[in-house]
Amino acid sequence: MSSRSLVAATVAAALATGVAACGSSSNDNSSSTTANGASSSSGSSVKATLNGAGSTFAAPIYQQVGSDLKGQGLTINYQGVGSGAGVSQFSAGTVDFAGSDPALTADDKATIKKGEPIQIPFALGAITASYNLNGVKSGLKLDGATLAKIYLGTIKTWDDPAIKALNGGMTIPSTKITVVHRSDSSGTTKGFTGFLAAYSPEWKSGPGVDKDIKWPTGTGAKGNDGVAAAVKQTDGAIGYVEQAYALQNGFTFADVKNKSGAFVAPTLESTSAAADGIDIPTDLGVSTIDSPNAKAYPIVSQTFAITYADPCKAGMDATKAKGLKAMMSYLLGAGQDTIKKLSYAPIPDSLKAKDQAAVDAMQCNGAAIGS
């Protein structure tokens, strides 16, 4: 199956099921890949059910990883409810792990009372400026300042002089722009608004940067899937949509001007380039928005899997703790191939090494978790 077809199939499944990847407890003797990425002649000995919630951006990944691991004893149930809701559910103790696109803030960490959290960035994804504009193919050029004016509502039609100035010689219809944004608390929103704020003082001092903001204009939709559906149904619409969802819907999307002044299309290569040379904080809370790399697409988000450094101290049993460690290791090992097949970008080796060290250090009541 082609990468695009796999993306379409996986995202379609995620939208239809709410991303519940139910595993099997069977343990056959056929050759397989264990949850830590090593080849094995039998299924994994980990028999655990893991419940997670959060990022819709990463929902197709969790859907596919659940399918990958279901023959090895792990059941992964994941609900794509948005990064903010996922972190809230994790803080409340109703899920075992959270998916979040922005790193945990100090305020987030203060709400997590059951133990020390770890956040593992394991994939990168382009946030596309997708549009539904009759007669205009992918590659319309947009920059941060112009996108901000669109989302502020000061640019109202597609043939506005600011857009035409970026696209000399292109015939652009006078269609009214319909702005679509997220209605839920979303890491994709935080990434997108962070990019707008970098190029628009009015945006920075106005709506600002966060997982949910007061939007100046437009219509809200829940999740990447909701924004994608609204864009698809509305002539003249524009919405910020993770690339896997844009591909699944056959969207056209913009080439966006990066920090170096180049207009760059969202591809796997340009997405990966956004992580080259970034600073890696001690808590692994990286950010790939507005990368200085000349080859990078500028609106790239990382996504994190968040759980506890010692899940047992947070009230989980040893089996579940072992399952969490196995899932995390898989995301950093064989799961990186799954990530690429779904049109997300894998993380660079420099970040992967620090991620794996954090996963290897996971404990159960102060003792190392066995593999």
Side-chain angles (χ1 to χ4, degrees):
M1 180 180 289
S2 70
S3 172
R4 180 181 287 263
S5 297
L6 181 59
V7 171
T10 303
V11 178
L15 305 192
T17 65
V19 193
C22 298
S24 167
S25 61
S26 64
N27 188 6
D28 60 39
N29 292 320
S30 61
S31 179
S32 62
T33 301
T34 65
N36 65 6
S39 178
S40 171
S41 60
S42 64
S44 168
S45 62
V46 181
K47 308 290 184 183
T49 297
L50 307 177
N51 297 313
S55 167
T56 66
F57 180 102
I61 300 176
Y62 289 112
Q63 166 76 15
Q64 187 59 45
V65 166
S67 179
D68 291 349
L69 297 178
K70 70 179 182 180
Q72 293 150 46
L74 282 176
T75 297
I76 301 173
N77 299 314
Y78 183 82
Q79 293 295 319
V81 293
S83 296
V87 172
S88 293
Q89 288 187 34
F90 180 70
S91 299
T94 58
V95 293
D96 305 313
F97 70 95
S100 179
D101 303 327
L104 293 171
T105 65
D107 287 344
D108 290 332
K109 292 177 182 179
T111 69
I112 300 171
K113 306 291 189 182
K114 292 189 174 184
E116 178 190 355
I118 57 169
Q119 52 186 350
I120 304 300
F122 64 89
L124 308 169
I127 303 172
T128 68
S130 289
Y131 51 86
N132 179 356
L133 188 56
N134 188 36
V136 179
K137 299 179 180 180
S138 280
L140 184 75
K141 293 180 174 65
L142 294 173
D143 61 16
T146 303
L147 275 168
K149 289 177 182 178
I150 290 171
Y151 272 81
L152 286 166
T154 56
I155 291 179
K156 300 180 183 296
T157 62
W158 281 104
D159 65 345
D160 186 275
I163 297 176
K164 293 179 74 173
L166 296 173
N167 295 274
M170 180 182 288
T171 300
I172 303 175
S174 59
T175 309
K176 179 184 175 183
I177 296 174
T178 298
V179 168
V180 184
H181 56 75
R182 292 283 288 271
S183 61
D184 53 328
S185 183
S186 158
T188 308
T189 295
K190 187 168 184 178
F192 184 71
T193 56
F195 177 71
L196 299 186
Y199 293 93
S200 169
E202 187 177 359
W203 188 276
K204 186 175 182 179
S205 64
V209 179
D210 211 338
K211 288 181 283 191
D212 42 355
I213 64 169
K214 184 175 181 179
W215 292 95
T217 190
T219 183
K222 186 176 181 180
N224 270 285
D225 52 331
V227 174
V231 171
K232 191 171 186 177
Q233 295 166 8
T234 309
D235 185 36
I238 185 170
Y240 55 97
V241 181
E242 199 283 321
Q243 190 174 24
Y245 292 83
L247 289 173
Q248 192 269 332
N249 285 277
F251 283 159
T252 47
F253 38 73
D255 291 0
V256 181
K257 189 176 183 180
N258 69 12
K259 185 173 280 189
S260 297
F263 287 93
V264 181
T267 65
L268 195 62
E269 294 73 22
S270 65
T271 300
S272 289
D276 287 345
I278 60 170
D279 293 331
I280 304 175
T282 303
D283 69 355
L284 303 177
V286 298
S287 175
T288 53
I289 290 292
D290 202 27
S291 170
N293 190 323
K295 296 181 179 179
Y297 179 73
I299 321 177
V300 170
S301 177
Q302 66 293 314
T303 194
F304 298 85
I306 298 168
T307 191
Y308 292 101
D310 191 325
C312 299
K313 287 184 178 179
M316 301 181 206
D317 61 30
T319 300
K320 183 163 284 190
K322 187 174 181 180
L324 281 166
K325 182 181 178 182
M327 183 191 76
M328 295 289 203
S329 289
Y330 184 83
L331 288 171
L332 300 174
Q336 291 289 296
D337 288 333
T338 294
I339 286 162
K340 287 192 286 187
K341 289 175 183 176
L342 294 172
S343 292
Y344 297 79
I347 57 174
D349 289 344
S350 57
L351 178 56
K352 189 187 303 182
K354 293 187 177 183
D355 279 351
Q356 191 63 60
V359 172
D360 290 344
M362 289 177 68
Q363 296 183 328
C364 177
N365 288 322
I369 298 174
S371 57

